[in-house]
Amino acid sequence: GGRIEGVSIDTRTGCSGMLFVALEGSRSDGHEYAARAVEHGAAALLVMRGREPDPAGWKSSVPVFAVPDTLTALQDLASAYRDRIDPRVVAVTGSTGKTGTKDFIARILSTAFMVHATPGNMNNHIGLPLTLLGMEGTEELLVTEMGANHRGEIKRLSGIARPGVGIVTNIGPVHLEFFGSLKGVAAAKSELLAALPADGTAVLPADDEFFEFLKGKTKAPVISFGYCQEADLRIEDVELLDGPGYRFRLGGHEMEIPRYGRHNIRNAAAAAAAASVCGVRPEQIAAAVAGTKAADGRGVVFDIDGILFVDESYNSNPDSLTAAMDAFKEMPVKGKRWLVLGDMLELGEKSGELHGEAGSCCGKAGVDGIVTMGEETVELNRAAAVQRKAPDMLSHFLDHEKCAAYLNDLLETGDAVFVKGSRGMHMERIIEAIEKLKGTEARRVD
């Protein structure tokens, strides 16, 4: 038969020349799109046994592979393909900073090697196999991200990708409704470390309270990064630059990073540790870090009609909110500072308490206005309001358009607006609505 150029699970993203894998999801079933996939030029179909297309209505000469479970088959296929190309695999997990760290690593490594990296944050049981199957065949290194909100998931992902270098960025209160406690989060992330071979390397956060726990979970040698004296790659002498970003020393070498947020320094340090394991020289690492910009929704700064918007709409949890807010406070702003915050989801029964703690923090931040959106943030708003430094302007909305209209009336040239919320809150819609109201396009300025 013909060549199969790749793998697709979605007819909307194009499947011409590809193997179309029909996955059964909670919202849609790929089997219903099999005929459409063929119309769109799919080279072959992978379906569940017993769910093959009806031969009567099927005039296609496209081969159909029927298997007991299409997801397992997709994962097995990815694993076999990974073996065939046999790249060195670098995997990143952690509560926050996964994508930022992965982007740094991919950027640094691609100065010296042929690299394939996870696009965006395709880091789960479907995204990871698709990342592996996206390799061209000439890659020396594969950089992948592993996310999980249940135990055993990272173990499964590690079984498919079989990493030689594993990085844990940090352990924080993320997906607590599934993991129950911080210890549970640490145990889940440590599944990556347990999977590393004895001749691999674990890159761990020296400042993290779970450092010793994580270290005890791997038979691989450990390299640590962080601010504390014990760190192998120690971050020192951090100073704010005139433009966006910082200058600092890492393991004795000078580095610069062109964006706000001290958490970016930590992500860069984790990436530098991983890159040094792969043999990249410190000066190559410094040059690559200096050229890495923020990814969409993760601290990109836009100018709309003279007002700055910090777009942190990609996701939110208590740790990433605090880190990003510290970055916002360091940004030079001529006018007023505004926080526009959506719900932090998946925090389980501690949600109210964690939103309240975040609210106290926001109320003490010395900003000029706080606007909250959603249901959980009612608690955040309430806690912010009782702080001594609470701003005069405190509002709450349930609707993106109304929130944008309110802000549009109050914002003035020179103001800066920090927008953040969980993925499910779609906080980027507020920025898009303000663009429409102002009738000007957002211009990226970071």
Side-chain angles (χ1 to χ4, degrees):
R3 252 177 81 100
I4 290 177
E5 299 293 332
V7 176
S8 166
I9 57 164
D10 189 339
T11 54
R12 292 169 306 183
T13 54
C15 49
S16 174
M18 307 238 190
L19 168 69
F20 177 76
V21 182
L23 294 178
E24 289 182 327
S26 52
R27 285 194 293 267
S28 70
D29 183 348
H31 292 82
E32 290 165 18
Y33 299 93
R36 184 184 300 177
V38 174
E39 281 164 28
H40 287 213
L45 299 177
L46 182 66
V47 298
M48 296 275 206
R49 196 165 289 155
R51 301 213 45 199
E52 295 92 336
D54 174 18
W58 194 249
K59 300 187 184 60
S60 170
S61 60
V62 166
V64 177
F65 301 99
V67 293
D69 182 315
T70 46
L71 177 59
T72 305
L74 174 71
Q75 293 173 340
D76 291 346
L77 187 63
S79 194
Y81 186 60
R82 176 238 173 274
D83 280 2
R84 202 168 127 189
I85 292 170
D86 200 24
R88 187 172 191 179
V89 178
V90 179
V92 184
T93 192
S95 296
T96 54
K98 284 187 292 294
T99 304
T101 303
K102 179 217 60 185
D103 289 345
F104 274 130
I105 295 172
R107 177 76 192 245
I108 298 166
L109 291 177
S110 51
T111 61
F113 302 99
M114 294 287 285
V115 173
H116 182 71
T118 302
N121 72 316
M122 287 176 33
N123 62 22
N124 66 2
H125 59 298
I126 297 168
L128 178 96
L130 290 174
T131 297
L132 294 175
L133 290 162
M135 287 190 284
E136 300 280 330
T138 53
E139 291 84 355
E140 300 164 278
L141 276 142
L142 174 78
V143 185
T144 176
E145 186 181 320
M146 292 184 180
N149 41 23
H150 291 91
R151 283 199 187 149
E153 283 183 290
I154 289 180
K155 184 179 181 186
R156 178 90 184 99
L157 297 177
S158 300
I160 299 167
R162 289 203 316 293
V165 181
I167 297 118
V168 177
T169 55
N170 61 359
I171 303 296
V174 183
H175 304 302
L176 280 183
E177 68 173 285
F178 308 117
F179 290 132
S181 68
L182 273 179
K183 187 82 188 248
V185 175
K189 305 300 180 190
S190 75
E191 291 169 13
L192 167 60
L193 306 173
L196 294 173
D199 61 351
T201 309
V203 176
L204 301 180
D207 305 324
D208 203 283
E209 62 173 305
F210 287 97
F211 175 71
E212 290 300 330
F213 170 82
L214 294 170
K215 193 175 167 179
K217 293 291 180 190
T218 185
K219 49 185 184 292
V222 169
I223 286 192
S224 65
F225 64 92
Y227 289 93
C228 66
Q229 229 150 357
E230 296 74 41
D232 298 322
L233 266 192
R234 189 174 171 202
I235 304 163
E236 299 172 284
D237 307 335
V238 178
E239 51 178 306
L240 204 54
L241 296 171
D242 289 342
Y246 308 90
R247 182 178 296 124
F248 58 99
R249 293 179 76 75
L250 182 65
H253 295 275
E254 189 159 294
M255 311 255 286
E256 280 191 10
I257 193 166
R259 43 184 150 142
Y260 291 113
R262 287 171 190 262
H263 56 293
N264 288 318
I265 299 177
R266 242 200 351 259
N267 294 349
S276 64
V277 169
C278 298
V280 185
R281 297 193 314 279
E283 55 276 21
Q284 281 173 290
I285 293 174
V289 167
T292 309
K293 290 198 151 212
D296 287 353
R298 292 182 164 88
V300 175
V301 185
F302 293 106
D303 180 317
I304 305 178
D305 203 20
I307 299 157
L308 293 180
F309 287 81
V310 178
D311 179 3
E312 275 279 348
S313 63
Y314 178 74
N315 218 336
S316 191
N317 60 57
D319 283 359
S320 72
L321 174 60
T322 320
M325 216 160 62
D326 287 346
F328 181 57
K329 288 193 288 200
E330 285 192 330
M331 209 175 124
V333 173
K334 294 191 184 79
K336 294 186 164 71
R337 283 175 206 263
W338 293 79
L339 300 179
V340 180
L341 306 172
D343 290 351
M344 297 182 283
L345 306 172
E346 293 187 6
L347 293 178
E349 56 197 44
K350 285 220 165 108
S351 184
E353 188 187 323
L354 288 166
H355 277 86
E357 283 171 20
S360 321
C361 185
C362 295
K364 293 176 183 142
V367 296
D368 301 282
I370 298 175
V371 178
T372 48
M373 205 179 115
E375 287 162 27
E376 306 286 323
T377 44
V378 171
E379 206 47 57
L380 189 153
N381 197 309
R382 196 177 290 143
V386 298
Q387 302 305 317
R388 207 167 45 83
K389 283 172 84 170
D392 298 336
M393 290 176 286
L394 269 161
S395 311
H396 185 80
F397 293 90
L398 292 168
D399 173 278
H400 294 87
E401 310 293 326
K402 290 197 172 94
C403 178
Y406 168 81
L407 283 164
N408 190 45
D409 286 345
L410 290 170
L411 292 173
E412 293 168 358
T413 308
D415 285 1
V417 187
F418 171 87
V419 182
K420 192 166 177 71
S422 272
R423 188 78 301 267
M425 295 300 294
H426 301 291
M427 298 299 284
E428 68 282 355
R429 288 185 196 158
I430 293 171
I431 301 176
E432 288 157 16
I434 289 174
E435 268 185 289
K436 282 207 187 77
L437 291 166
K438 296 258 180 243
T440 37
E441 234 171 84
R443 191 168 54 85
R444 185 167 174 165
V445 293
D446 61 326

